[in-house]
Amino acid sequence: MPHPEELGPYRVTGLLGQGGQGSVYLGLAPEGGRVAIKMLRDPVDTAGDAHRRFLREADAARRVAVFCTAKVLDVGATEDGQPYIVSEYIPGRSLHELVRSEGPRTGSGLVRLAVATLTALSAIHRAGIVHRDFKPGNVIMGPEGPVVIDFGIARAADQTTTHGVAGTPAFMAPEQFDGVPLTPAADIFSWAVTMAFAATGRLPFPGSTPASLMHAIMTAEPDLADVPDDLLPAVARCLAKEPSARPAAADLLAEFTGLGPAAPGHALRNTDTLPPARTPTPTPTPTPTPTPVRTPTPASQEGAVVAADEGPAAVAVLATLTAVVAAVFALQEWHGALTGVQDVVLPWRVADSLCDALLAITALAFAATVWRDDRPAAVIWISLLPGALVGVGFDPADHRTLALGALGPALACVPAAALGLMAWGEARPRALLALATAALMAAEAVAVLLGAGLHLVAGAGHTTLAAWLVVAGLQVRRPPSPAASAA
């Protein structure tokens, strides 16, 4: 399903991820800064109580202090009642993705993670909000340290729907399954599960289905083997089944930072429920100016779209150049098939070899761009190389090169089809173009062997190849991290 071009004053530039609550888009604010836009799944009546509750909950999230959190910038709804929340865009991989790809966090890095996330939860609770969906996917390991995202959004999402339970089962507190009013203690339980996962790479409550996870969380003791000694006591206390037995985020933060018991303040305690929210005065809220986020420069700071914009831009230019050559070659072949006059612009050997060589270089560029975050796609792009390079030098007038002429498209059609199938769920037009190109590559191989219809098939194949490369070049990006989507 294509993403919207605009949401309110924000221009949508790409899809970051999708999940149970909705879709997350990368967008540009009117001032030019990048933002993350979460469009919730269920529409609401913009004149009804549900919409007013949604705006009230989202407005509370905007008051959270910005240290260690992604600032909520704006809220709104489309003309058909689809609510969306705009927040600061934080480039980086999620804690979930980082642990899965690089292993558990250790040493001082693990302690810094605990302090940063507790700092964020303290600020969230101080604003009178319960996160309700704290998990590794909602912790972005940004260029300036861990950042918690999506706070308050699960609660706001609840205001737009009457079905389901907000949260991710593996990281939910026991009381979340009971449907009772939640307190900050639910977030503390989720924090402990998250820290155990970060420290060990596995969940403290195993289960292969939501039902088995729920049963383990509500009845079983957690498996905290391999949790470091300096973290183990706090995690164990936070996993108490009874909410009132869990410490508050501010108290935990004071312990980790050596400040002793937390000073009294206005933060929600673990036994406090959310106070009734005041009905906001119906005055228009000015659109805030988003703070531009610096793009990380070290190679270790992976972006949810790209760590630096130069890579995708270069790939887009290279893909477009290859597409232009393929289009010229396609026009020449269409002309030859229809008029019988061949090689109007360039001799076949030159035009086809140039196109194949550029395709090989473009495939390498695509592979290099997505290698770090989508290894299977990178490998498939690399597997296009043999098919492209084998076809270099093929001349239909030279019978000695017929085997190369058939082998090249035969080898290339398989990875082209694989790339089409991989893109099917998120970019249907690109997927269809890739699959059409693969089919015509296979047809070209047959036409070479049969010696019939080659120019017609080659023209059609290079036409779809040109269109596919243009679309793929414009859409090239690193896959979104689960944290960036956290939908």
Side-chain angles (χ1 to χ4, degrees):
M1 180 178 179
H3 61 69
E5 294 183 358
E6 292 182 344
L7 286 172
Y10 305 95
R11 182 164 66 87
V12 177
T13 60
L15 177 69
L16 289 175
Q18 292 178 309
Q21 292 179 9
S23 301
V24 182
Y25 300 102
L26 180 66
L28 289 177
E31 298 79 9
R34 290 195 291 179
V35 295
I37 309 170
K38 185 159 192 172
M39 187 162 72
L40 302 182
R41 180 185 58 196
D42 297 307
V44 296
D45 179 5
T46 55
D49 291 338
H51 184 249
R52 284 190 289 271
R53 287 194 301 269
F54 163 74
L55 292 178
R56 186 162 60 239
E57 297 295 340
D59 186 63
R62 296 170 67 176
R63 297 193 295 270
V64 174
V66 297
F67 43 82
C68 301
T69 63
K71 182 175 178 59
V72 175
L73 302 172
D74 195 9
V75 294
T78 62
E79 292 182 357
D80 58 356
Q82 207 81 16
Y84 62 84
I85 299 176
V86 183
S87 64
E88 176 187 14
Y89 169 68
I90 305 294
R93 301 171 75 184
S94 72
L95 175 62
H96 182 275
E97 184 180 10
L98 202 61
V99 172
R100 288 301 187 205
S101 62
E102 299 182 10
R105 306 293 89 190
T106 59
S108 60
L110 182 62
V111 176
R112 283 193 295 272
L113 174 66
V115 170
T117 49
L118 285 173
T119 301
L121 282 177
S122 295
I124 291 168
H125 295 166
R126 190 174 297 113
I129 297 173
V130 177
H131 191 299
R132 301 163 68 93
D133 195 20
F134 188 91
K135 59 184 178 181
N138 277 338
V139 179
I140 298 287
M141 307 302 285
E144 297 176 352
V147 176
V148 175
I149 64 172
D150 268 10
F151 52 89
I153 290 181
R155 169 81 175 187
D158 267 5
Q159 309 303 336
T160 71
T161 182
T162 57
H163 58 77
V165 177
T168 303
F171 298 91
M172 288 167 59
E175 61 268 26
Q176 284 184 271
F177 296 105
D178 291 333
V180 299
L182 296 184
T183 70
D187 289 344
I188 296 302
F189 190 96
S190 301
W191 175 85
V193 177
T194 296
M195 292 306 303
F197 171 79
T200 66
R202 64 178 186 274
L203 295 171
F205 299 101
S208 57
T209 65
S212 61
L213 278 169
M214 179 178 69
H215 178 75
I217 289 171
M218 298 187 73
T219 63
E221 292 300 315
D223 176 11
L224 299 180
D226 300 326
V227 175
D229 292 340
D230 54 353
L231 190 64
L232 180 59
V235 169
R237 286 157 53 208
C238 295
L239 293 177
K241 306 297 184 189
E242 179 58 44
S244 61
R246 302 170 204 152
D251 295 331
L252 285 168
L253 181 60
E255 292 177 16
F256 273 99
T257 55
L259 298 179
H266 299 290
L268 284 178
R269 311 304 295 175
N270 278 349
T271 54
D272 296 336
T273 56
L274 283 174
R278 293 174 300 174
T279 303
T281 303
T283 56
T285 302
T287 300
T289 302
T291 302
V293 180
R294 294 202 311 268
T295 302
T297 52
S300 63
Q301 302 295 343
E302 294 85 354
V305 180
V306 181
D309 292 333
E310 289 80 358
V315 173
V317 171
L318 185 58
T320 302
L321 175 62
T322 306
V324 169
V325 174
V328 170
F329 182 56
L331 290 174
Q332 179 172 286
E333 292 308 291
W334 283 112
H335 183 270
L338 296 175
T339 66
V341 180
Q342 306 296 334
D343 302 345
V344 175
V345 181
L346 291 171
W348 173 293
R349 182 190 295 268
V350 175
D352 187 51
S353 297
L354 178 60
C355 187
D356 288 339
L358 283 173
L359 177 59
I361 296 172
T362 302
L364 275 178
F366 273 108
T369 302
V370 302
W371 177 263
R372 186 169 55 211
D373 294 306
D374 193 354
R375 197 65 54 85
V379 171
I380 294 174
W381 276 110
I382 292 173
S383 66
L384 269 173
L385 291 177
L389 295 177
V390 163
V392 174
F394 167 58
D395 187 344
D398 186 349
H399 292 285
R400 294 172 299 177
T401 64
L402 286 182
L404 294 177
L407 184 60
L411 290 174
C413 71
V414 176
L419 289 168
L421 293 175
M422 288 187 70
W424 186 263
E426 65 173 21
R428 193 65 54 84
R430 185 173 86 235
L432 291 172
L433 287 171
L435 292 172
T437 301
L440 289 167
M441 284 178 173
E444 182 178 339
V446 174
V448 170
L449 294 176
L450 296 179
L454 175 59
H455 295 289
L456 184 63
V457 174
H462 283 78
T463 299
T464 57
L465 174 64
W468 173 38
L469 290 176
V470 169
V471 173
L474 292 175
Q475 294 180 346
V476 63
R477 59 181 175 86
R478 296 195 195 280
S481 67
S485 52

